[in-house]
Amino acid sequence: PFTRGVSFYKLDPSSGLIVTGFDVPEPAVVKSGSLDLFVGTVQRKLSAEPARMVAIVTWLAYMGIVFFSDGILPGANALQLEQRTWEEVRDLSINFFLVSPILHLPFAPVVHPMLEGVFNLLLSWAAMFAGFLSDEREDKPNIFPMLPAVAGMQFLTSAFLLPYLALRTSEELESGDVVYKEDVSGVEETLGEFQWLGAMMGAVGSGSVAWFFFARADEFGSAFSERYASFMDLLSIDRVGSSFIVDLGIFALFQGWLVDDDMRRRGIDIDGGEMASMRNVAKFFPFFGLAAYLTLRPPLPEKQ
């Protein structure tokens, strides 16, 4: 049964049939296998598109500074497991998308409104990247699948976004080719092609900005200078809040990374045509530009 090795059999002299037997298979050669394949694939991607190095270097710097550094950002690093940090993460999670405080639910904790605004703006921005889920298809697999990346962005934001951008497979479509709706399946099609994703997340983001400026006036004051001063005091000791500010900057820099390939999938001319101005809005106008693009872009064509 083995392709390599040796077999021993005892035969019945009268009948010529096998009575007993045993196999000694040759051990398989130890190979580095998947690791070498992964490294080689990454090297080829970097050679073909050196711009990917920007995402890799940014990710390495982000991980080192946000999670492990001391003194670069305020607050304790992730290895110290500071109790206040986990309590803040818990409270922000309970107030996810501001549902609990808006409904005045009894278990909704009181958190600084500017921190809540930044947190929910960031998560609504991260959710909009689900609009690019057609970047993951059976005929275009990625080393790091996009659906887990988008899900992970709701928890660790740029820690999932940047490696996906660095490792993804580029869209290689010939002139005139498109990706059909039928080529995208499951959650990728349902969520990625949901027409109102951009508008809904844009509304959440707008509400978060309004919350940032006006919410909880009784506890934190109505004057911007007063609210802002207390927010700066919080950030001066808060690693989580400071990391949110870093994430907003990274999202602004990288939100346009997937736009050109998304336009190609839909048969849109990225160098001209009716959507040329929308391309620039999507790539260079943080948050609201992406929300507008996801709302106004044409759907993937259908085969029939």
Side-chain angles (χ1 to χ4, degrees), residues 107-126:
F107 54 79
V110 176
V111 183
H112 197 293
M114 288 188 164
L115 182 62
E116 287 179 310
V118 169
F119 173 74
N120 286 285
L121 173 64
L122 183 63
L123 291 192
S124 59
W125 202 342

Side-chain angles (χ1 to χ4, degrees), residues 13-32:
S14 60
S15 65
L17 299 177
I18 297 175
V19 177
T20 60
F22 64 92
D23 301 308
V24 182
E26 179 181 334
V29 178
V30 177
K31 300 179 180 179
S32 52

Side-chain angles (χ1 to χ4, degrees), residues 40-89:
T41 301
V42 172
Q43 288 177 336
R44 287 191 295 272
K45 290 180 181 295
L46 289 174
S47 177
E49 299 179 70
R52 292 176 185 267
M53 184 59 70
V54 176
I56 293 176
V57 171
T58 304
W59 180 74
L60 292 173
Y62 176 86
M63 296 297 290
I65 292 172
V66 169
F67 291 101
F68 305 114
S69 71
D70 289 311
I72 299 177
L73 288 180
N77 66 54
L79 299 179
Q80 296 184 33
L81 303 175
E82 191 176 47
Q83 180 65 27
R84 195 187 68 82
T85 298
W86 297 112
E87 291 175 354
E88 184 176 75
V89 171

Side-chain angles (χ1 to χ4, degrees), residues 43-266:
Q43 288 177 336
R44 287 191 295 272
K45 290 180 181 295
L46 289 174
S47 177
E49 299 179 70
R52 292 176 185 267
M53 184 59 70
V54 176
I56 293 176
V57 171
T58 304
W59 180 74
L60 292 173
Y62 176 86
M63 296 297 290
I65 292 172
V66 169
F67 291 101
F68 305 114
S69 71
D70 289 311
I72 299 177
L73 288 180
N77 66 54
L79 299 179
Q80 296 184 33
L81 303 175
E82 191 176 47
Q83 180 65 27
R84 195 187 68 82
T85 298
W86 297 112
E87 291 175 354
E88 184 176 75
V89 171
R90 178 202 63 199
D91 292 347
L92 288 169
S93 300
I94 292 173
N95 291 353
F96 177 74
F97 280 8
L98 305 172
V99 173
S100 297
I102 288 175
L103 296 179
H104 301 288
L105 298 179
F107 54 79
V110 176
V111 183
H112 197 293
M114 288 188 164
L115 182 62
E116 287 179 310
V118 169
F119 173 74
N120 286 285
L121 173 64
L122 183 63
L123 291 192
S124 59
W125 202 342
M128 282 199 289
F129 281 88
F132 297 115
L133 281 172
S134 57
D135 200 50
E136 179 81 28
R137 306 186 303 277
E138 185 176 348
D139 63 340
K140 183 187 168 298
N142 298 300
I143 297 176
F144 181 16
M146 188 170 193
L147 185 58
V150 170
M153 286 169 65
Q154 289 296 308
F155 301 94
L156 293 175
T157 54
S158 302
F160 278 82
L161 171 64
L162 293 170
Y164 176 78
L165 297 180
L167 299 175
R168 62 178 288 269
T169 303
S170 295
E171 200 70 72
E172 297 179 356
L173 295 172
E174 300 294 335
S175 178
D177 288 347
V178 297
V179 172
Y180 291 100
K181 188 175 181 179
E182 292 83 354
D183 297 330
V184 186
S185 60
V187 177
E188 287 84 354
E189 189 276 326
T190 302
L191 184 57
E193 295 305 304
F194 179 51
Q195 182 181 1
W196 297 106
L197 176 65
M200 291 174 63
M201 292 302 101
V204 173
S206 299
S208 300
V209 173
W211 192 270
F212 178 95
F213 284 105
F214 305 114
R216 303 194 192 279
D218 293 339
E219 297 96 334
F220 296 91
S222 58
F224 176 77
S225 58
E226 181 182 0
R227 297 163 65 86
Y228 182 74
S230 62
F231 184 46
M232 289 297 102
D233 289 341
L234 172 62
L235 290 185
S236 68
I237 60 169
D238 187 7
R239 176 63 61 95
V240 173
S242 300
S243 70
F244 293 160
I245 305 301
V246 174
D247 282 318
L248 289 176
I250 290 175
F251 277 25
L253 289 173
F254 287 94
Q255 81 165 20
W257 196 284
L258 302 173
V259 170
D260 285 352
D261 276 358
D262 188 70
M263 295 179 72
R264 291 188 183 99
R265 287 192 286 271
R266 298 166 198 281

